């Protein structure tokens, strides 16, 4: 009887265990989860609704130092395979645009169905079980757990330990040490899909505001990434999906000690010239109105004083007294507002990590290590991260399934 250890009870680990059990009904499969319950991070995905995957699934939405692995994995297990897998569990899904969610809109439904399938397949799930060492030996591996070093002999091992993002949900980076002890190397790990802290934050008094904007990362003077959507102004800086989308580039630049700024365009639907014309025309008939009232109807009330302050226009200045040069400065404050990024909001607040175990060191057909036979690596442990929209979960499901199916066929 084959014995397979799955280290990590997150998205990729649970799917790996199911795939292994379905592929080899005689195999004895054990999931080791260091927290008191498996799948806790799944519950937090998609704001508790679990954005399972995305119909627009392309390698271009992922980042890695070795993109051929991403392309191969997605070719072997795409979003349609994910849908078929969850349909086999009894999950019905729905779409919002290209985003795919459970019909129930509950991440808890996804986790419960995974757990029910594990029970049906007689997969053993050990919680509060910290794996401290994996030792290759003749005929398999010793898997050691706990401070006492209790060990079990396994024929195959799947490392599905996650990265370092959000340690309270289980991803504390311990998987990196296990993989490195087995000969694998790492691409530096930084937070991704994370909020940004702004130095001398000019919008601190506008905390809580949500505003449409285009955000652009500028690293050592070079524009490196851009996105458009709803930006959230916070007491410490900026957040929201477009900020998350550019954050992995900013994290990497900060890691390399580069100067990082973010340019924000709070009126992306018009050019600078068009906005200037709009504001000048808006002055007509409003000459006796004060400047604070003049921008009402365009921007959130908390943002207006911030824009005027940066354009050096007093709130009570009459509109008729605002010079054309001041109006141009106002356009700059709205269209080209540049803030300096001090740091990110850290691993504990990041949704995923950028970096990890080199994807070049695994066989993307099976997720097997190129160094050690019957050792498999999956999910966020690897140097692959996707943008918001179900891409990181797709990577977890895909790599977990491929690894589990392959491990069940190991020759031992």
């Amino acid at each position: 009887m084959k014995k397979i250890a799955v280290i990590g009870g997150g998205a990729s680990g649970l799917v790996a265990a199911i795939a292994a059990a379905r592929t080899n009904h005689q195999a004895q499969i054990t999931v080791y989860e260091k927290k008191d319950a498996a799948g806790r991070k799944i519950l937090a995905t998609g704001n508790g609704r679990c954005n399972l995957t995305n119909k627009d699934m392309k390698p271009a939405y992922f980042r890695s130092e070795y993109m051929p692995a991403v392309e191969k994995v997605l070719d072997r297990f795409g979003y349609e395979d994910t849908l078929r897998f969850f349909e086999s569990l009894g999950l019905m899904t729905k779409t919002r645009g290209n985003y795919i969610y459970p019909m129930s809109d509950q991440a808890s439904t996804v986790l419960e169905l995974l757990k029910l399938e594990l029970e049906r397949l007689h997969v053993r799930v050990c919680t509060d079980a910290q794996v401290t060492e994996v030792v290759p030996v003749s005929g398999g591996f010793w898997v050691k757990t706990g401070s006492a070093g209790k060990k079990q002999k396994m024929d195959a091992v799947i490392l599905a330990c996650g990265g370092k993002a959000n340690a309270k949900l289980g991803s504390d980076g311990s998987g990196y040490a296990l993989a490195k002890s087995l000969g694998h190397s790492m691409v530096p790990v930084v937070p991704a899909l994370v909020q940004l802290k702004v130095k001398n934050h000019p919008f601190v008094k506008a905390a809580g505001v949500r505003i449409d904007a285009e955000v652009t990362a500028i690293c050592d003077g070079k524009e490196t990434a851009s996105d458009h959507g709803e930006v959230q102004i916070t007491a410490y800086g900026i957040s929201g999906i477009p900020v998350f989308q550019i954050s992995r580039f900013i994290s990497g630049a900060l890691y390399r000690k580069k100067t990082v700024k973010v340019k924000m365009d709070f009126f992306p639907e018009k050019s600078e010239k068009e906005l200037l014309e709009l504001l000048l025309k808006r002055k007509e008939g409003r000459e006796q109105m004060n400047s604070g009232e003049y921008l009402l109807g365009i921007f959130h009330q908390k943002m207006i004083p911030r824009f005027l302050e940066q354009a050096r226009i007093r709130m009570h200045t009459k509109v008729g007294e605002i010079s054309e040069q001041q109006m141009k400065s106002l356009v700059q404050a709205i269209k080209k507002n540049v803030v300096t990024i001090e740091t990110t909001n850290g691993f504990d607040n990041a949704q995923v990590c950028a970096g990890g175990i080199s994807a070049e060191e695994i066989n993307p057909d099976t997720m097997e290590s190129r160094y050690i036979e019957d050792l498999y690596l999956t999910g966020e442990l690897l140097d692959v991260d996707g943008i918001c929209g179900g891409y990181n979960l797709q990577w977890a499901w895909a790599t977990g399934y491929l690894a589990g199916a392959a491990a069940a066929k190991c020759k031992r």
Side-chain angles (χ1 to χ4, degrees), residues 51 54 61 99 193 240-242 244-245 351 386-392:
N51 180 191
N54 198 298
Y61 300 135
Y99 292 37
L193 302 188
I241 288 178
F244 283 8
Q245 306 290 43
Q351 291 186 13
I387 64 172
C388 293
Y391 297 98
N392 291 291

Side-chain angles (χ1 to χ4, degrees), residues 181-238:
S181 74
L182 294 162
H184 283 276
S185 59
M186 280 184 65
V187 175
V189 177
V190 296
L193 302 188
V194 67
Q195 308 90 343
L196 303 175
K197 293 186 177 181
V198 172
K199 186 177 182 179
N200 300 323
H201 189 12
F203 296 105
V204 67
K205 292 181 180 179
V209 169
R210 295 170 182 259
I211 184 170
D212 191 60
E214 181 177 272
V215 291
T216 303
I218 304 172
C219 305
D220 274 357
K222 181 180 179 182
E223 294 188 1
T224 57
S226 184
D227 203 72
H228 175 199
E230 186 181 79
V231 171
Q232 298 172 30
I233 308 298
T234 68
Y236 57 79
I238 51 176

Side-chain angles (χ1 to χ4, degrees), residues 299-372:
F299 297 107
H300 192 289
Q301 280 182 281
K302 286 187 176 181
M303 295 295 288
I304 292 171
R306 311 286 74 81
F307 292 143
L308 292 173
E309 182 180 55
Q310 292 178 48
R312 298 183 183 281
I313 301 171
R314 295 181 182 277
M315 283 282 287
H316 299 293
T317 299
K318 299 295 184 185
V319 171
E321 297 172 5
I322 300 174
S323 69
E324 187 169 342
Q325 183 55 50
Q326 284 178 310
M327 199 63 76
K328 288 179 179 178
S329 295
L330 180 59
V331 168
Q332 290 292 301
I334 295 167
K335 293 283 295 177
K336 287 185 176 179
N337 204 297
V338 178
V339 294
T340 300
I341 303 303
E342 192 169 38
T343 184
T344 71
N345 214 13
F347 286 108
D348 284 347
N349 295 288
Q351 291 186 13
V352 296
C353 296
I357 301 302
S358 173
E360 194 169 4
E361 298 174 358
I362 55 99
N363 177 350
D365 286 316
T366 62
M367 309 312 296
E368 186 176 24
S369 165
R370 295 192 186 276
Y371 302 152
I372 298 178

